[in-house]
């Protein structure tokens, strides 16, 4: 009987070896290197090894994503020097502020969410506001600031349609004022409020109607302080015929 048991055990061991197995399942595998770059002489676990004391270093954090800005006030004189407050996030010492292609002056980082600055000089019109932090974060407000000089109390703001486009591109008027539209181009123009085609942001601007060459007309009175954009209803995508009316 003992002889028979010995024969059976020997046969089982031989069969296990022939199938590529191990006679001793608890035996460790041969030496291997893990993806972490460490060397385990005995390693029963494929990479990554949960028992490896040296895991890979974490990937670096991506740079901050672009964020939103709030600029107040939203308009100022073309000569510059308008004090503004910029609200956002992740501001730090060394942050820069650009109004279009010109740098703001007297930039002060009050805290991580607030910056004060002075606007640079600029041509009439509107520009993007861009804030860049030392860590590479970029925060932008497209068309966020309008440069325009206020209309004198005893004068009427006028936007003239020239062959090259509207002049000026932006006007500032007091609440209750109207704006004169003059067509000095060789073709008709129909300046209406944004957005196209509903024209609802600034309905007071829609009263001038179609202007043939040489004609002029007045808008209705702008009663509510805000900023309105206007465009040519018949050529809505052309920036040459776009202007802004700031009602203060």
């Amino acid at each position: 009987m003992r002889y028979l048991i010995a024969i059976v055990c020997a046969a089982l061991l031989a069969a296990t070896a022939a199938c590529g197995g191990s006679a001793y399942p608890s035996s460790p595998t041969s030496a291997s290197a893990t993806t972490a770059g460490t060397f385990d002489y005995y390693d029963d676990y494929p990479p990554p090894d949960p028992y490896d004391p040296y895991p890979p270093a974490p990937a670096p954090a991506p740079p901050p994503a672009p964020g939103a800005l709030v600029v107040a006030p939203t308009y100022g004189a073309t000569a510059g020097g308008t004090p503004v407050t910029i609200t956002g996030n992740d501001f730090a010492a060394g942050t820069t502020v650009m109004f279009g292609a010109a740098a703001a002056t007297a930039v002060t980082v009050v805290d991580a969410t607030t910056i004060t600055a002075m606007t640079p000089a600029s041509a009439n019109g509107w520009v993007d506001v861009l804030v860049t932090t030392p860590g590479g974060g970029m925060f932008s407000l497209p068309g966020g600031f309008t440069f325009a000089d206020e209309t004198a109390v005893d004068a009427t703001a006028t936007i003239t349609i020239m062959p090259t486009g509207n002049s000026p591109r932006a006007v500032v008027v007091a609440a209750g004022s109207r704006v004169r539209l003059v067509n000095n181009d060789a073709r008709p123009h129909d300046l209406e409020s944004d957005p196209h085609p509903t024209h609802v942001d600034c309905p007071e601007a829609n009263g001038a109607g179609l202007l043939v060459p040489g004609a002029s007309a007045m808008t209705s009175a702008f009663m509510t302080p805000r900023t309105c954009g206007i465009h040519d209803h018949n050529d809505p995508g052309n920036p040459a015929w776009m202007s802004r009316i700031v009602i203060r």
Side-chain angles (χ1 to χ4, degrees):
M1 184 65 177
R2 292 178 181 175
Y3 180 72
L4 179 59
I5 292 173
I7 292 176
V8 171
C9 290
L12 290 174
L13 291 173
T16 301
C19 292
S22 171
Y24 303 94
S26 62
S27 300
T29 60
S30 59
S32 63
T34 70
T35 54
T38 60
F39 186 84
D40 291 332
Y41 188 80
Y42 294 117
D43 193 353
D44 286 322
Y45 299 94
D49 186 344
Y51 292 98
D52 194 325
Y54 304 104
L69 297 177
V70 176
V71 179
T74 59
Y75 68 93
T78 58
T82 300
V84 296
T85 299
I86 302 171
T87 305
N89 55 70
D90 296 331
F91 299 153
T95 295
T96 60
V97 179
M98 300 291 293
F99 285 79
T105 59
V107 177
T108 301
V109 178
V110 178
D111 53 39
T113 62
T114 307
I115 293 174
T116 59
M118 300 286 279
T119 61
S122 175
N124 176 277
W126 54 93
V127 298
D128 299 342
V129 180
L130 178 65
V131 175
T132 304
T133 66
M138 297 182 67
F139 308 87
S140 64
L141 183 60
F145 194 85
T146 301
F147 286 94
D149 298 320
E150 295 196 22
T151 304
V153 176
D154 58 348
T156 300
T158 300
I159 297 175
T160 303
I161 306 169
M162 307 291 289
T164 54
N166 293 350
S167 179
R169 298 197 66 202
V171 295
V172 179
V173 300
S177 300
R178 301 198 296 172
V179 176
R180 177 182 288 111
L181 304 178
V182 179
N183 185 7
N184 281 354
D185 195 9
R187 66 182 181 88
H189 289 274
D190 184 7
L191 297 186
E192 305 277 353
S193 166
D194 291 348
H196 182 80
T198 56
H199 313 307
V200 295
D201 286 355
C202 204
E204 301 94 327
N206 303 335
L210 181 68
L211 296 176
V212 298
S216 65
M218 299 289 288
T219 67
S220 299
F222 297 93
M223 303 305 298
T224 305
R226 65 199 189 280
T227 297
C228 300
I230 60 175
H231 63 278
D232 189 334
H233 175 68
N234 298 314
D235 193 6
N238 193 333
W241 318 123
M242 296 178 183
S243 289
R244 278 187 179 179
I245 301 171
V246 179
I247 304 101
R248 59 173 177 78

